[in-house]
Amino acid sequence: MTLTRVTHATEIAAPADEVYRIIADVTLWPLHFPPTVHAERRAESGVAESIRLWATANGELRTWVSARRLDPVARRIEFEQTQPRHPVATMGGTWRIEQHPDGTCTALLDHHYRAVDDTPADLERIARAVDTNSTAELASLKRVAEWAGGAGLLLAFEDTETIAGTPAEAYDFLYDLGSWPDRIAHVQRIDMTEDVPGLQYMEMDTKSPDGSVHTTTSWRVCTEPDRIVYKQLKLPAVLRAHTGEWRFEAVDGGCVRVTAAHSVIVDPEAAARLPAPMTDLTQIRDAVRAALGANSRATLATAKAYIEGR
């Protein structure tokens, strides 16, 4: 099997340590990196960690486990897939951040890989995925690191509801996307595909309180019985990124606590171009919290009424 090596790079007008921190915190990759839908730390020991990623490659949602070794002093992160997926036989690489005297830096992303079979089709498929994802990740890394006031653009919040029922009943209600238009008032239409059990692609039309209808697309990772996470791909105008999570937890009295969590990066420039412009960051954050929270609470209330009314 042929070993292929390739490097992608970008110049970033930000300190190298700040760029390194963005790469090191894998839990925020779904917000920062377009290909990543979900990321989890499975184990951590000093500078070594095991992570599981769910990310798109050539339009397909795939998952794998990687081992990472972090070196904050050298600003290097080495990674190697421990459970590669066909047609990949081996895949690994290194993130390297090089500081420049003027306060800027260069971010480099090295990959090495082998295919299970050295067929031209498999090699081209892997090369295309590596090139597309590396280019997207570096472009997003540059944009995030160079954002002014970046910390104020990130918003995370939760809403909860306690339901007289089981986690399985609540999970099934939120998992069954095909029934949402008939059960949830603000959902007008859903088209869903699930080629791999638990990995769902959905396109949804939702009605806002002002009567306008918005179309969003999302990937969902469903891990029965306690969690469904998702990442929106087609976003409302005022958002740069949006990930969410439904969590299901059994509580006393034969009840389940359902939590709807959101993490978003708001877009002040887009908000300023709305028909009713918003220019104050606090106003934008409050509007996003109100809109997303209202839909989540409506869904939770509907789930409660449905489960408790059966």
Side-chain angles (χ1 to χ4, degrees):
M1 294 182 289
T2 303
L3 179 66
T4 301
R5 298 182 182 273
V6 61
T7 296
H8 295 78
T10 190
E11 303 299 315
I12 302 178
D17 287 339
E18 174 60 27
V19 174
Y20 175 87
R21 282 194 292 270
I22 295 170
I23 301 167
D25 189 356
V26 73
T27 63
L28 291 180
W29 279 23
L31 283 174
H32 294 328
F33 293 162
T36 307
V37 172
H38 183 51
E40 295 178 348
R41 282 194 178 97
R42 292 160 52 94
E44 191 173 4
S45 176
V47 297
E49 65 181 9
S50 173
I51 63 172
R52 178 177 284 278
L53 296 177
W54 287 259
T56 56
N58 298 325
E60 177 188 358
L61 183 58
R62 300 170 67 85
T63 183
W64 63 87
V65 174
S66 290
R68 298 209 306 173
R69 181 165 294 275
L70 292 79
D71 186 343
V73 176
R75 305 185 191 95
R76 291 171 57 94
I77 300 175
E78 299 174 355
F79 58 90
E80 192 76 30
Q81 290 188 12
T82 58
Q83 297 178 3
R85 296 282 305 279
H86 190 278
V88 176
T90 61
M91 174 77 75
T94 306
W95 287 93
R96 296 179 285 132
I97 313 300
E98 298 178 351
Q99 180 73 60
H100 301 318
D102 63 357
T104 65
C105 66
T106 301
L108 301 102
L109 177 52
D110 305 320
H111 279 93
H112 60 260
Y113 60 83
R114 288 187 174 92
V116 174
D117 300 304
D118 276 347
T119 64
D122 283 350
L123 290 171
E124 189 279 332
R125 179 183 175 187
I126 297 171
R128 177 159 37 93
V130 169
D131 182 64
T132 299
N133 285 12
S134 298
T135 300
E137 287 167 356
L138 286 169
S140 185
L141 178 64
K142 175 180 174 70
R143 185 170 61 251
V144 171
E146 293 180 352
W147 275 341
L153 305 182
L154 178 61
L155 173 64
F157 57 90
E158 297 182 349
D159 293 291
T160 63
E161 181 70 81
T162 300
I163 300 172
T166 66
E169 290 176 304
Y171 177 93
D172 288 344
F173 183 93
L174 273 301
Y175 175 82
D176 185 9
L177 289 172
S179 297
W180 280 22
D182 295 329
R183 295 176 177 173
I184 302 174
H186 65 270
V187 176
Q188 305 292 291
R189 176 187 66 89
I190 281 189
D191 290 331
M192 188 271 291
T193 58
E194 187 174 2
D195 296 329
V196 177
L199 302 183
Q200 298 176 333
Y201 178 82
M202 59 179 282
E203 181 177 282
M204 177 170 64
D205 292 342
T206 57
K207 180 179 288 188
S208 298
D210 63 5
S212 60
V213 176
H214 302 274
T215 300
T216 58
T217 59
S218 304
W219 278 108
R220 301 211 312 172
V221 177
C222 307
T223 52
E224 191 176 4
D226 59 0
R227 188 163 60 163
I228 297 172
V229 300
Y230 60 90
K231 176 175 180 173
Q232 279 196 347
L233 310 178
K234 184 176 181 180
L235 297 157
V238 297
L239 299 183
R240 290 174 173 169
H242 177 204
T243 62
E245 181 176 10
W246 299 97
R247 297 194 302 270
F248 311 91
E249 178 188 6
V251 294
D252 293 341
C255 295
V256 55
R257 179 184 297 116
V258 184
T259 300
H262 297 269
S263 295
V264 303
I265 296 176
V266 300
D267 189 340
E269 296 173 0
R273 297 192 297 266
L274 292 173
M278 292 184 291
T279 57
D280 179 77
L281 184 55
T282 299
Q283 179 191 18
I284 298 168
R285 289 166 59 93
D286 289 347
V288 170
R289 171 67 173 98
L292 294 180
N295 281 351
S296 292
R297 290 190 297 274
T299 300
L300 290 169
T302 303
K304 179 181 178 70
Y306 178 83
I307 292 170
E308 294 183 351
R310 290 199 297 180

